[in-house]
Amino acid sequence: MSTVPVKPLTPVGLHPIRRNLTSTTTLKSQAMLTAVPSKHIIGLSTYNRCFEFKSWSQMRNPAFLSHRRRVSTVVASAGNMTAPSSWESWMPDKKAAATTLLLSDAIWPAAGAFAAMAIMGRMDQMLSPKGITMSVAPLGAVCAILFTTPSAPAARKYNIFLAQIACAAIGVVAFSVFGPGWLARSVALAASIAFMVIARANHPPAASLPLMFIDGAKFHHLNLWYALFPGAAACVILCLLDEANRLSVWNGYVDWRNRPALRGYHGGMLAASFVLVVEVLENLAFLANASNLVLYLSTKMGFSPSGAANAVTAFMGTAFFLALLGGFLADAFFTTFHIYLVSAAIEFLGLLVLTVQAHEHSTEPWARVVLYVGLYLVALGVGGIKGSLPPHGAEQFDETTPTGRRQRSFFFNYFIFSLSCGALIAVTVVVWLEDNKGWSYGFGVSTAAILISVPVFLAGSRFYRLKVPSGSPITTMFKVLTAALYATFKKRTSRNVVTCHTRNECNDNIAKGNAEGDGSFLDEALRERELLPGPLRCTEEQVKDVKIVIKTLPIFMSTIMLNCCLAQLSTFSIQQASTMNTKLGSLTVPPAALPVFPVVFTMILAPTYNHFLLPLARKTTKTETGVTHLQRIGTGLVLSVVAMAVAALVETKRKLVVKEVTCCSSNNVSSSYSSPLPITFLWIALQYVFLGSADLFTLAGMMEFFFTEAPSTMRSLATSLSWTSLAMGYYLSSVLVSAVNFVTGLNQHNPWLLGKNLNEYHLERFYWLMCVLSGINFLHYLFWARRYAYRSNQS
């Protein structure tokens, strides 16, 4: 596209109009804009406001008119719009017509206009003896602007009141000077438009007020009171109604169509209930395979018991660790709504791969490659879901009210209940299908479950309120940390030492430094702000947010050991049960169905805690929460210590039965592994019950703790720390197994956890080791929990 160079009328600076252009503006278009002097263009808004000129002679200048046409074309292209031809301007807006409208798009503006006219009509009846009317025609146009285009410049309160009062007064003055007739109307209208341009109070409906006064004999007796009645007084009513409508909008939240979320319509328990149903299906899909995967790898894919256990813990650890990625993306760039949909599609693809691989049933190297591809596609999808679904549900509640906070606490408890519901179906129905019908059936059920969860999730779209992403929280953290390090370094190496001339001056400097923080390392980013380059300068709010996140990290670290204990539920405990008698009467229970015991116990305990224990605790402690988040987490840590002690005692008893069987029969230890031991698998259920209870207290407590304590800009990422703790626990379990085998294998001793036969393992010693480590971890947790100061309303 060629351009004709035009010499500027005056050598003035460029107007900042170019900053309003979007990224789609071409370089050539930007080059054309540089030729437009700011003297000729006062301003251009994003709502296609007209150009305003300082003089009529400038507007007649041909050079300026040429610039004006080119700039208009550039602005139209920058907004992804095409400047319409003269004929197209008579046609409907095809882009607007293509937009899907909801019934509420018409109901809310119409309801506002009806309420406004009804109120003013009632006031007309009251004020009719004084000859005052409020329901004048221009107010219909004001209603249309306020309720249909509230973001337009004409809807600004400043424009409305200034233009209404001034134009009405201009009409009164013009009538007093020129009397009724065409001259008064012409002068009044011209003066009104000139005033709106000069005062930058563009409000077209106000231009009709002077004409209405001049031609309406019923208004003449009001004189200058006409400037207040009806225009300004009626606009007060309209603006109050508009403000009431704005108060009904959730600030910082949008609906699924990126429009402002409305109070009373978006959010609440109804919206969160869809999340709970989706979590049942999602956890069914994930846990159905995770709970039985160790047996699939050892019996079908040729893995050793320890190799299968490590493969499972690596897979589950990766899945939970990737929750950080989902939480980060939800906070920084996308909403939790979109992250869930993408993650569900990825998990569906991974489960489809696993289903095909299980159907082919091959142990060739290529089959293992396909297995790992499917597993880690599932892990990626699960990570995104775990990082987005809990905060998506928690964001549906109003945290500014006690009722909203109480409902949010209920949601986290029932989220664990939904986890348990999905797990119950997984460890019963799906595990039975895998053991009796084939693994392809189990993977197929998981694939169908995650596929069904998508339309269920979408069914609640109209009720969700979605938090608007506010930028990368990781960037903020690195910025504050870098600023603090840079400020500390510059402070120590700076040669420009400032000395205090008086003792009072030194005391004032010390007091100023103490006022800019609590004396921590991060406060250097505030105290030495002048030493920092522009990109590293932080606000007080940013430093405060990073302090909060760092303060929660010791609590996060203290929960990793608990989740290391939980990792045993899907590894060695399953293999223990596979060597025991799994019959209940005539029913043979698959070993992978063992988690049914903690699942059922959790399903009973979660509602009991919500509706009985928690209200009792609130009455006893006289606090809103009853039991603090840290108290719940601590309870789970204590239960994990007990669970590991019980697991060690149960394994000791099982090994005694192994010795009795091998002493009283001709079978050796290796052959006895293939036959069920004369001991019921219900002994294993004891440790499951304790670990399941620990999981309920700790996981729900962690989710609510991280969500409520974290800054609003990084809540999804902080909530993902609950799942990251699980991931670190699974990784730590694998590291412990390898470390124990290495240490115990020194000096030609047999490692505790190595070999094909579980009966030759010293699993009871491993459990005692974990019991001791869990006890030490609890003491570490107490050290930090007693020193933690809540940011939210806690007892």
Side-chain angles (χ1 to χ4, degrees), residues 292-303 308 361 363 439:
N292 208 16
L293 186 61
V294 66
L295 291 183
Y296 177 70
L297 297 178
S298 58
T299 60
K300 301 294 184 181
M301 299 301 295
F303 285 73
H361 184 59
T363 58
W439 281 88

Side-chain angles (χ1 to χ4, degrees), residues 732-785:
L732 180 59
S733 176
S734 298
V735 171
L736 276 178
V737 170
S738 301
V740 165
N741 283 338
F742 174 77
V743 174
T744 57
L746 297 176
N747 298 327
Q748 298 182 346
H749 289 89
N750 291 328
W752 286 358
L753 307 172
L754 191 63
K756 291 283 187 180
N757 193 336
L758 187 69
N759 293 335
E760 296 177 351
Y761 283 26
H762 293 288
L763 194 56
E764 72 284 355
R765 300 177 186 177
F766 178 67
Y767 284 155
W768 281 122
L769 174 64
M770 296 192 68
C771 180
V772 173
L773 294 176
S774 298
I776 297 173
N777 176 71
F778 177 68
L779 297 177
H780 170 253
Y781 171 80
L782 282 180
F783 175 82
W784 294 105

Side-chain angles (χ1 to χ4, degrees), residues 76 169 197 201 247 269 275 290 431 520 579 603 608 646 687 742 751-752:
V197 172
L247 289 176
M269 190 59 76
V275 176
V431 167
S520 67
T579 67
M603 293 176 65
T608 303
V646 170
Q687 65 202 55
F742 174 77
W752 286 358

Side-chain angles (χ1 to χ4, degrees), residues 25-26 35 61 122 128 222 228 250 297 344 376 380 562 565 604 674 677 689 715 761:
T25 310
T26 62
N61 188 295
R122 179 59 180 165
S128 58
L222 295 175
L228 299 179
W250 292 108
L297 297 178
Y376 285 94
L380 179 60
L562 163 67
C565 299
I604 297 172
S674 60
L677 297 172
V689 169
R715 280 183 163 174
Y761 283 26

Side-chain angles (χ1 to χ4, degrees), residues 500-518:
C500 301
H501 298 288
T502 65
R503 183 178 181 86
N504 291 335
E505 185 179 349
C506 292
N507 292 336
D508 291 342
N509 290 339
I510 294 173
K512 181 181 178 181
N514 292 336
E516 291 181 346
D518 53 12

Side-chain angles (χ1 to χ4, degrees), residues 221-249:
H221 69 283
L222 295 175
N223 294 322
L224 284 176
W225 283 104
Y226 180 73
L228 299 179
F229 299 99
C235 285
V236 169
I237 299 173
L238 294 178
C239 291
L240 288 176
L241 288 173
D242 179 61
E243 288 299 322
N245 179 63
R246 291 177 185 271
L247 289 176
S248 67
V249 174

Side-chain angles (χ1 to χ4, degrees), residues 140-320:
V142 178
C143 286
I145 293 174
L146 274 177
F147 299 129
T148 60
T149 57
S151 57
R156 294 183 60 188
K157 307 302 185 294
Y158 168 84
N159 293 5
I160 291 175
F161 285 102
L162 189 61
Q164 290 272 344
I165 294 173
C167 292
I170 288 172
V172 174
V173 173
F175 178 79
S176 301
V177 174
F178 300 104
W182 66 270
L183 183 59
R185 290 196 298 269
S186 302
V187 171
L189 182 59
S192 297
I193 293 177
F195 173 82
M196 285 191 286
V197 172
I198 295 171
R200 297 181 181 275
N202 180 27
H203 184 66
S208 60
L209 287 175
L211 303 181
M212 191 170 64
F213 180 84
I214 294 171
D215 294 338
K218 62 179 180 178
F219 296 114
H220 294 168
H221 69 283
L222 295 175
N223 294 322
L224 284 176
W225 283 104
Y226 180 73
L228 299 179
F229 299 99
C235 285
V236 169
I237 299 173
L238 294 178
C239 291
L240 288 176
L241 288 173
D242 179 61
E243 288 299 322
N245 179 63
R246 291 177 185 271
L247 289 176
S248 67
V249 174
W250 292 108
N251 290 329
Y253 293 89
V254 295
D255 65 1
W256 68 282
R257 298 178 62 202
N258 205 33
R259 300 176 306 178
L262 303 176
R263 293 177 182 269
Y265 185 79
H266 296 104
M269 190 59 76
L270 176 61
S273 63
F274 287 94
V275 176
L276 297 178
V277 175
V278 167
E279 181 55 30
V280 174
L281 295 168
E282 186 276 330
N283 203 48
L284 188 161
F286 173 60
L287 198 60
N289 301 307
S291 62
N292 208 16
L293 186 61
V294 66
L295 291 183
Y296 177 70
L297 297 178
S298 58
T299 60
K300 301 294 184 181
M301 299 301 295
F303 285 73
S304 66
S306 59
N310 285 339
V312 171
T313 53
F315 159 69
M316 297 186 72
T318 302
F320 290 128

Side-chain angles (χ1 to χ4, degrees), residues 116 362 411 547 552 638 650 708-709 773 784:
S362 173
F411 166 78
K547 282 184 182 179
T552 61
V638 172
V650 170
T708 56
E709 294 300 299
L773 294 176
W784 294 105

